[in-house]
Amino acid sequence: MTTDTDLDDLLAALPLKSPREVYDEIEAARRAAELAPPPEATIIPMPEYPYMWPHPLGGIVRFPCALGCGWAHDEDAFEEDLEPIIVPLGGSTQDINRIFNERSLQRAAVVRGRIETAIRDHFTAAHPGREIPAREAR
């Protein structure tokens, strides 16, 4: 067991699942995966992280050309969002959660658009007529 006797007591109090219950859970997960929509495709290649903290450029995320020509688009992951976040006084935790979630989705869409535009511009200039390779987004 563990070195924490309180945790041992809690674990001992939990009911053990039967093999049938475990199988049913696995089957339910498999069926849910079959019904899930197919993953989206993206033209954004897998990122590289050329500099690690504490390097001054530690927040740089690099998206290289999928054809390996040496070109890459760099994004600063630590770049500040200059638009202020407005939270109402007396707002509930649900309101604050919603505001931050909406803001993160908005910022992600802007960053994704900037990366996709850079990739499209690169392919237009450096690889005219070539289709941009897509990969499964995760």
Side-chain angles (χ1 to χ4, degrees), residues 15-97:
L16 292 176
K17 293 182 181 180
S18 70
R20 181 65 197 186
E21 289 172 322
V22 172
Y23 174 78
D24 288 343
E25 284 182 10
I26 293 171
E27 252 326 275
R30 186 191 60 75
R31 276 187 257 115
E34 285 177 353
L35 298 175
E40 294 181 27
T42 182
I43 63 169
I44 299 175
M46 288 299 290
E48 297 174 353
Y49 307 95
Y51 310 102
M52 299 309 263
W53 187 86
H55 191 280
L57 298 175
I60 298 296
V61 181
R62 182 164 289 153
F63 298 91
C65 177
L67 300 180
C69 71
W71 174 88
H73 173 73
D74 289 349
E75 282 287 325
D76 185 356
F78 297 144
E79 180 181 38
E80 290 192 36
D81 190 1
L82 298 178
E83 188 177 330
I85 297 176
I86 299 170
V87 178
L89 289 175
S92 68
T93 55
Q94 289 85 6
D95 292 336
I96 295 170
N97 187 36

Side-chain angles (χ1 to χ4, degrees), residues 80-131:
E80 290 192 36
D81 190 1
L82 298 178
E83 188 177 330
I85 297 176
I86 299 170
V87 178
L89 289 175
S92 68
T93 55
Q94 289 85 6
D95 292 336
I96 295 170
N97 187 36
R98 180 186 48 77
I99 290 168
F100 277 92
N101 283 332
E102 288 172 358
R103 181 55 164 274
S104 67
L105 292 173
Q106 174 191 12
R107 187 159 186 225
V110 168
V111 171
R112 185 173 43 252
R114 191 168 51 231
I115 296 167
E116 289 175 347
T117 299
I119 291 168
R120 284 189 183 96
D121 291 348
H122 167 69
F123 267 77
T124 301
H127 309 292
R130 298 280 307 259
E131 187 173 329

